[in-house]
Amino acid sequence: MTSKAYALEASHLTKSFGALKAVDDVSFSVYQGEIFGFLGPNGAGKTTTLRMLTGLLTPDDGRVAIQGFDLQTSLVKAKMQMGVIPEVGTIYVDLTAEQNLALTGRYYGLSRERIAQRTKELLSALGLYDRRADRVRTYSKGMRQRISFACAIIHEPSVLFMDEPTEGLDVQSRRLLIDMVLELNRKGCTIFLTTHNIEEANALCQRVAIINKGRLVALDRPETLRSSFEKTQSVEVSFDPPLDGDALCGGHVSKVETSGDKFILYTDDLHGTIEYVTDIARQRGVRILSLRTRGPSLEEAFVMLTESTSRGCVIND
Ligand SMILES: Nc1ncnc2c1ncn2[C@@H]1O[C@H](COP(=O)(O)OP(=O)(O)O)[C@@H](O)[C@H]1O
Ligand SMILES: [Mg+2]
């Protein structure tokens, strides 16, 4: 099993909800032992993809294999290989932490002894052993997320799926969860996580796929994607008398947008672009009425990655 190069293979995954194509012909593979990020804005199709990868939702088209087990033909074997922390928790709040773990352990066919051993191990590592007999209802969000994590890995899966696992967590719970994930990964577990946080993807993942409007728009190392992010910084400027947008293409400007009487110049070099704009104003004998800089924008990065015309200067009204 471990000789297989890929822990996960998805090919041509497609899912529609009525007229909406939530996931559109998505294909990618995840290497053994990799931390793979699935990054995209809200509504991009991350959860729908994850649900298809984990056998919770049947695709309209396409296939998934987990550790070489095809979900269509070997669902149970594939499921034994995976742990899942869904977007909305599936832990039972009226049960205690121990009971939740016992229930999940039994689902995966673990023996009573093994369940007891894993419960002690996991709850101690997660700082919840003292609270093991308390109902989950009395837990904070961070504590509940830790229990979800424990349930997801009780059977020692070789691939762990997490849907925006750090969303809404306090800094401490977030750190603890990330440390647990890294530790699990060091022991060889492959990690697939969805996020809309580019910083998180950057910090954790070896490779990141970017999904927007159901389509995979990029798959690369986070450093490479980061440069796309940096290109989304912008300078907003207006002139008196007004200039033509064409005049502003050049220098480090990758795209010019008009917004009322203002131009938004996208660039990876804010400082150079301010100088560039000042030079143009001087050359043309016009005054700068307003000038403002804006930091990188994730939404804009998704748009840029989606557009095929990411090179050269594009003018959009
Ligand atoms: N069960 C469903 N029925 C109808 N539309 C859905 C359903 N699940 C998701 N969608 C739609 O599919 C799109 C992708 O959703 P989702 O995969 O949850 O995105 P993400 O997790 O990236 O925020 C959204 O437009 C969402 O409204
Ligand atoms: Mg989601």
Side-chain angles (χ1 to χ4, degrees), residues 46-47 87 163-164:
K46 302 182 296 293
T47 297
E87 190 171 40
D163 200 355
E164 310 224 16

Side-chain angles (χ1 to χ4, degrees), residues 93-138:
V93 293
D94 286 324
L95 299 183
T96 67
E98 258 178 342
Q99 287 168 336
N100 268 284
L101 284 167
L103 204 63
T104 317
R106 279 205 293 276
Y107 171 81
Y108 285 111
L110 304 188
S111 69
R112 201 180 287 269
E113 295 72 34
R114 185 70 187 137
I115 289 174
Q117 188 188 7
R118 285 292 282 160
T119 298
K120 185 155 191 205
E121 242 170 61
L122 288 167
L123 293 183
S124 306
L126 291 166
L128 288 173
Y129 193 67
D130 292 344
R131 298 286 305 268
R132 66 189 182 280
D134 294 346
R135 281 172 195 235
V136 170
R137 186 176 291 290
T138 66

Side-chain angles (χ1 to χ4, degrees), residues 4-8 29-36 190-191 207:
K4 287 213 164 55
Y6 296 120
L8 185 169
S29 301
V30 178
Y31 295 112
Q32 297 291 352
E34 189 171 33
I35 303 185
F36 188 92
T190 305
I191 312 285
R207 285 191 308 149

Side-chain angles (χ1 to χ4, degrees), residues 91-203:
I91 44 169
Y92 297 95
V93 293
D94 286 324
L95 299 183
T96 67
E98 258 178 342
Q99 287 168 336
N100 268 284
L101 284 167
L103 204 63
T104 317
R106 279 205 293 276
Y107 171 81
Y108 285 111
L110 304 188
S111 69
R112 201 180 287 269
E113 295 72 34
R114 185 70 187 137
I115 289 174
Q117 188 188 7
R118 285 292 282 160
T119 298
K120 185 155 191 205
E121 242 170 61
L122 288 167
L123 293 183
S124 306
L126 291 166
L128 288 173
Y129 193 67
D130 292 344
R131 298 286 305 268
R132 66 189 182 280
D134 294 346
R135 281 172 195 235
V136 170
R137 186 176 291 290
T138 66
Y139 284 22
S140 70
K141 173 147 195 199
M143 291 160 75
R144 289 181 193 199
Q145 186 69 321
R146 279 181 261 163
I147 292 298
S148 291
F149 183 78
C151 286
I153 65 168
I154 191 163
H155 60 304
E156 300 180 275
S158 64
V159 190
L160 178 65
F161 292 90
M162 295 185 290
D163 200 355
E164 310 224 16
T166 59
E167 193 54 21
L169 290 189
D170 57 279
V171 176
Q172 199 191 349
S173 300
R174 190 185 192 112
R175 190 65 250 169
L176 187 71
L177 187 78
I178 287 176
D179 287 346
M180 290 290 294
V181 169
L182 291 173
E183 172 66 18
L184 201 65
N185 178 250
R186 266 195 293 278
K187 290 181 183 155
C189 185
T190 305
I191 312 285
F192 177 97
L193 83 120
T194 76
T195 178
H196 63 254
N197 181 338
I198 203 158
E199 296 303 332
E200 181 168 283
N202 205 22

